[in-house]
Amino acid sequence: MYRTHTCGELGASHIDQQIVLSGWIAKLRDKGFVVWIDLRDRYGITQLVFDEERTPKDLLEQARNLGRETVLQIKGKVIERASKNPNIPTGAIEVLVNELAILNEALLPPFTIEDESDGGEDLRMKYRYLDIRRNPVKNNLIFRHKVTMEIRKYLSDQGFIEVETPYLIKSTPEGARDFLVPSRMNEGQFYALPQSPQTFKQLLMVGGMDKYFQIVKCFRDEDLRADRQPEFTQIDCEMAFVEQEDILNTFEGLTKYLLKETKGVVVGDFPRMTYDEAMKRYGNDKPDIRFGMEFGELNEVSQHRDFNVFNAAELVVGIAVPGAASYTRKEIDKLIDWVKRPQVGAKGMVYVKCNEDGSYKSSVDKFYGQKDLAKWALATGAQKGDLICVLSGERNSTRSQLSALRMEMAERLGLRKPDEFAPLWVIDFPLLELDEETGHYHAMHHPFTSPKPGQLGLLDSDPGAVRANAYDLVLNGNEIGGGSIRIHDKEIQAIMFKHLGFTPEEAKAQFGFLMDAFQYGAPPHGGIAFGLDRLVAILGGQETIRDFIAFPKNNSGRDVMIDAPATIDQGQLKELHLRLDY
């Protein structure tokens, strides 16, 4: 028996008991006459004691020569600790060791395995198995497990069935790039790893499964950011015989349940906002509504003077930053430099200080008087002591720039509180997006999304005006889930493919299996997919997903621990009918 107890469960009730523990040496403190060792496992830390009075000389000497992270098994007696540690569950006791076995000696770790490590991110990812021993990473993985268990419990209780779908599928031209897998047995042909189980879950609805879910790996060969990985996990769900309201109610229920069970947070009904409203009020389709700073459009109150920057703009829009009228000119200049960075792309920024005496001081006093600036304050909701920041230019890019500024100021002012949760639904997205470079439309979500009832005819006359029967669930400024009511009629699906630029032959080659299935009684259906990695990170008070994934890739899509991706030998290439001499 390697252990009778874990390193996190011993307390005063175990005093005088003989126990066996196994774990890693977290710390060793040698005071000459006494040696203390902190023994760590997944469950916690227990202090071991060896001293000159009660420990055999050879055992004491052996303890002195142990190294950090060595794997031990010890036998001993639980005793009361003289200097108790209230910060750990086992702080009332220690174990007087009478037997010790080294299960595996360890090299000196390349970084300290403590909550506040001295290892940089690259180093810790290279030795991820050591990083997992640290409480922050370990606890994140345990929290992820808890969230996934609660998801399975909730959905199972709601009548959902978990069904696995294939990983080796057919490549499609929609969405991000596929990861391709060459077939050895079918020369010149390739599988693709799924970006989503989309078509399979629709086929499950045709098959009568009615309520499906799957916690599933998906793959996208795309540029990476802190909140993206080439492989990621979805909570993939589909329901038959439902309308949009049924989906929203079911998965609002799931989100409320997760907040309550994992964070102890109770929230009311989620607000709903159309895509157009979100863009107008916040400049993006995943607004963080934990704080204000809503957009105030200023065209009507700013384009009547001889200020050509505003007069030539498609949109003049501002936000009121609370309490920032105290900013010095130097601080404001730094803010202007921030919005002019290539990542944001603004050409400049106009500002107005709302003084405590009710007067206004702006960077455009030459063109606008106090009455004009008072109208700006009214439009942006600015109060005394606030700073109005105004951007102008092309409508969509200006909204995007001001949205970036809004989030930056919220971050600086501490308004994005990780323990505060503000979910909402964004609905009525455009069905199609126009690609400015090609002049062609593509699906904003995917080609199986149904248009809103009664809008199918607009596809011919005004495709950009068609709204999708689609919805996103947003939490704290992050999209955590998105879905739609699907097209379930073959003829309507064919019309959709036509407007996306598919010829009938291309549509049949790519999606003929789905079109054929629709002929055998496809029910009305719809669904949603949550990004599990992002959801867990936000519930855990963070937005970077890597620390909630056991073995993540870096920003280049590499696993630096196992050094992947890697080259393969010529024999494997030959078997796969591949050549790398192009």
Side-chain angles (χ1 to χ4, degrees):
M1 183 184 294
Y2 280 111
R3 58 188 180 186
T4 57
H5 299 78
T6 70
C7 294
E9 67 177 295
L10 296 176
S13 64
H14 298 93
I15 289 175
D16 291 332
Q17 289 185 22
Q18 293 290 329
I19 55 88
V20 182
L21 297 179
S22 291
W24 290 262
I25 296 177
K27 287 182 182 177
L28 187 148
R29 301 179 297 283
D30 184 355
K31 297 297 184 182
F33 63 92
V34 62
V35 173
W36 289 286
I37 289 176
D38 287 349
L39 195 68
R40 177 208 327 113
D41 64 10
R42 189 189 107 192
Y43 305 93
I45 286 178
T46 296
Q47 180 170 284
L48 312 180
V49 62
F50 307 77
D51 64 34
E52 290 180 343
E53 290 185 6
R54 296 171 292 182
T55 304
K57 187 175 181 181
D58 59 336
L59 184 58
L60 180 60
E61 194 60 31
Q62 186 182 14
R64 286 197 173 105
N65 293 316
L66 294 170
R68 291 178 71 150
E69 301 308 315
T70 290
V71 186
L72 292 185
Q73 180 195 44
I74 64 95
K75 296 181 182 178
K77 181 181 178 181
V78 181
I79 61 174
E80 186 175 1
R81 188 164 164 174
S83 299
K84 295 180 174 56
N85 183 353
N87 298 318
I88 59 173
T90 60
I93 59 90
E94 59 189 2
V95 176
L96 179 63
V97 178
N98 50 51
E99 290 185 43
L100 180 155
I102 297 175
L103 301 180
N104 209 326
E105 291 193 45
L107 296 174
L108 182 68
F111 54 87
T112 55
I113 300 176
E114 297 175 354
D115 289 4
E116 298 295 329
S117 175
D118 58 359
E121 186 174 47
D122 288 343
L123 184 64
R124 289 188 289 108
M125 287 184 72
K126 182 176 175 63
Y127 297 94
R128 183 64 166 181
Y129 44 87
L130 298 179
D131 201 27
I132 290 172
R133 294 181 192 173
R134 296 192 313 114
N135 282 327
V137 181
K138 176 197 74 175
N139 291 339
N140 286 348
L141 296 180
I142 293 171
F143 181 69
R144 180 186 178 112
H145 163 75
K146 181 178 180 181
V147 172
T148 57
M149 291 299 291
E150 295 297 347
I151 290 165
R152 283 192 163 96
K153 181 177 185 298
Y154 177 88
L155 291 175
S156 296
D157 288 347
Q158 294 291 318
F160 285 78
I161 304 298
E162 186 164 14
V163 182
E164 293 182 0
T165 54
Y167 278 160
L168 296 176
I169 65 169
K170 188 176 185 178
S171 181
T172 63
E174 285 293 315
R177 293 185 187 92
D178 289 325
F179 280 101
L180 300 177
V181 181
S183 171
R184 179 179 61 83
M185 299 174 65
N186 300 276
E187 183 175 351
Q189 296 185 322
F190 294 79
Y191 298 105
L193 299 179
Q195 297 184 34
S196 161
Q198 181 61 44
T199 54
F200 289 101
K201 65 180 179 179
Q202 291 190 247
L203 292 171
L204 285 169
M205 297 302 102
V206 178
M209 288 307 293
D210 190 62
K211 289 183 175 182
Y212 141 94
F213 86 99
Q214 183 181 189
I215 298 179
V216 58
K217 279 284 187 192
C218 299
F219 307 85
R220 289 179 188 166
D221 188 6
E222 61 183 353
D223 295 337
L224 304 176
R225 298 197 301 260
D227 61 342
R228 284 187 181 170
Q229 289 275 299
E231 53 180 321
F232 56 96
T233 305
Q234 279 188 184
I235 312 160
D236 200 58
C237 309
E238 198 80 1
M239 303 170 71
F241 303 110
V242 290
E243 296 176 335
Q244 178 176 294
E245 195 66 24
D246 301 306
I247 304 279
L248 268 54
N249 288 336
T250 298
F251 292 98
E252 183 169 319
L254 170 63
T255 310
K256 287 179 177 178
Y257 175 82
L258 291 176
L259 284 167
K260 184 173 185 295
E261 294 300 317
T262 66
K263 303 300 295 182
V265 172
V266 177
V267 295
D269 292 343
F270 297 1
R272 298 183 186 183
M273 189 180 301
T274 67
Y275 170 86
D276 290 339
E277 184 184 357
M279 296 302 293
K280 186 172 183 178
R281 291 171 61 186
Y282 299 99
N284 69 59
D285 58 6
K286 47 181 187 294
D288 191 336
I289 59 171
R290 285 175 292 181
F291 55 93
M293 286 194 277
E294 289 192 27
F295 287 14
E297 296 195 357
L298 305 174
N299 291 50
E300 290 187 7
V301 293
S302 68
Q303 292 181 328
H304 61 294
R305 301 292 186 195
D306 294 330
F307 188 53
N308 290 332
V309 172
F310 283 178
N311 292 341
E314 186 179 2
L315 177 67
V316 183
V317 62
I319 56 171
V321 181
S326 59
Y327 276 28
T328 64
R329 179 58 190 268
K330 186 176 180 180
E331 288 174 316
I332 293 173
D333 285 346
K334 285 184 178 179
L335 206 55
I336 294 171
D337 289 339
W338 190 90
V339 300
K340 290 167 73 173
R341 298 181 314 148
Q343 301 95 315
V344 180
K347 292 180 179 178
M349 185 185 85
V350 168
Y351 68 87
V352 181
K353 289 186 173 186
C354 302
N355 298 319
E356 293 292 348
D357 63 3
S359 66
Y360 302 96
K361 175 65 180 172
S362 83
S363 56
V364 286
D365 281 344
K366 179 180 176 181
F367 301 97
Y368 297 95
Q370 292 291 300
K371 289 184 178 179
D372 293 319
L373 299 178
K375 292 177 181 177
W376 295 17
L378 184 63
T380 57
Q383 304 296 316
K384 293 177 181 178
D386 292 352
L387 179 72
I388 304 173
C389 299
V390 182
L391 301 182
S392 62
E394 188 273 328
R395 185 176 304 277
N396 291 336
S397 60
T398 301
R399 281 175 172 166
S400 176
Q401 293 155 6
L402 191 62
S403 176
L405 177 61
R406 175 180 181 266
M407 296 297 279
E408 175 67 15
M409 296 312 298
E411 201 71 56
R412 294 185 185 188
L413 295 170
L415 301 177
R416 303 193 70 205
K417 299 174 183 175
D419 57 351
E420 185 179 336
F421 298 95
L424 79 151
W425 290 104
V426 178
I427 59 175
D428 295 355
F429 285 83
L431 182 67
L432 305 173
E433 278 184 306
L434 183 65
D435 188 317
E436 300 288 349
E437 292 184 9
T438 65
H440 296 138
Y441 282 98
H442 62 87
M444 191 165 189
H445 283 76
H446 54 62
F448 316 110
T449 297
S450 173
K452 295 286 281 188
Q455 295 198 2
L456 185 64
L458 286 174
L459 280 172
D460 287 317
S461 59
D462 190 2
V466 181
R467 287 299 179 256
N469 211 340
Y471 32 82
D472 279 359
L473 182 55
V474 176
L475 182 61
N476 294 1
N478 293 270
E479 176 204 332
I480 60 167
S484 66
I485 299 299
R486 323 300 187 189
I487 297 168
H488 67 279
D489 179 272
K490 179 182 177 181
E491 300 306 320
I492 295 176
Q493 188 66 73
I495 293 170
M496 186 66 177
F497 284 142
K498 173 190 167 187
H499 284 277
L500 292 172
F502 288 86
T503 66
E505 293 74 22
E506 288 170 337
K508 183 166 181 58
Q510 291 290 338
F511 303 109
F513 65 94
L514 185 64
M515 306 277 275
D516 290 345
F518 284 175
Q519 298 178 104
Y520 291 94
H525 60 282
I528 193 169
F530 288 74
L532 177 65
D533 309 300
R534 190 176 300 173
L535 172 63
V536 172
I538 294 168
L539 291 175
Q542 301 178 38
E543 291 188 10
T544 302
I545 67 175
R546 277 199 295 265
D547 279 346
F548 291 84
I549 298 173
F551 299 102
K553 307 289 189 290
N554 68 9
N555 283 343
S556 300
R558 294 197 63 83
D559 186 323
V560 295
M561 183 182 67
I562 64 173
D563 194 23
T567 57
I568 61 175
D569 64 42
Q570 289 298 317
Q572 289 175 291
L573 288 173
K574 187 175 180 181
E575 273 193 328
L576 296 169
H577 319 288
L578 296 176
R579 294 168 54 189
L580 295 182
D581 58 354
Y582 48 83

